[in-house]
Amino acid sequence: MSVPDLAPLGPARCRALLASVPLGRLAFVRDGRPEVRPVNFTVADDAIWLRSGRNSWADRLDGQPVTFEADAYDPGGHTGWSVIVTGTATLATDVETVAAQLGAGLRSWAPPPRDRLLRIGVDRIEGRRLALRPDADDATESGAP
């Protein structure tokens, strides 16, 4: 029987793994209560970027602390990884930044319009990998069978 191995991941590996998946979860506090939203995102310039609509929950996050999490797993192999980012959310309003990020493949699965851009600066990033053997490879970490 294999023994699980839970190993911490360094910041560079965490960023690479985040860039390998299109969907994560954004956690924040709204009206004194915790909320979590599934979001499409990209990683660029030491930040997490996501799109939202005008007058949405994202507008209220400008300047607020948030937590972002993404992961992947192989249910058959009982392996996977998780990365957690804490930082401050900022609505990007600079035209060049918005144009560059919206044109960088950042697509929302939610219905349009999604013309707001939220940047989550990375204050802290940490991750861990769960493997059934110490020699887990990148295919295991990416969730590939």
Side-chain angles (χ1 to χ4, degrees):
M1 179 175 165
S2 297
V3 176
D5 176 41
L6 190 59
L9 299 168
R13 186 69 185 131
C14 287
R15 284 179 181 85
L17 288 169
L18 282 177
S20 74
V21 295
L23 190 68
R25 286 156 293 285
L26 183 65
F28 54 94
V29 175
R30 179 176 172 189
D31 299 327
R33 300 182 63 96
E35 291 205 17
V36 177
R37 296 275 196 266
V39 294
N40 300 101
F41 71 98
T42 59
V43 180
D45 301 327
D46 203 32
I48 307 293
W49 298 86
L50 58 100
R51 294 175 73 162
S52 70
R54 290 184 184 268
N55 301 315
S56 72
W57 52 268
D59 285 350
R60 294 184 289 277
L61 294 181
D62 191 29
Q64 299 299 310
V66 297
T67 299
F68 180 84
E69 189 270 345
D71 56 41
Y73 64 93
D74 173 9
H78 301 276
T79 60
W81 58 266
S82 173
V83 172
I84 297 174
V85 172
T86 55
T88 302
T90 308
L91 279 172
T93 57
D94 175 280
V95 174
E96 286 99 22
T97 301
V98 172
Q101 291 304 322
L102 291 181
L106 178 56
R107 303 286 181 256
S108 176
W109 294 355
R114 295 281 179 237
D115 57 356
R116 303 292 273 181
L117 186 64
L118 192 66
R119 176 187 185 274
I120 302 166
V122 178
D123 295 335
R124 183 172 154 186
I125 186 168
E126 57 189 357
R128 57 190 185 166
R129 181 196 68 212
L130 177 65
L132 292 180
R133 57 189 189 283
D135 63 338
D137 59 16
D138 286 349
T140 303
E141 288 182 351
S142 69

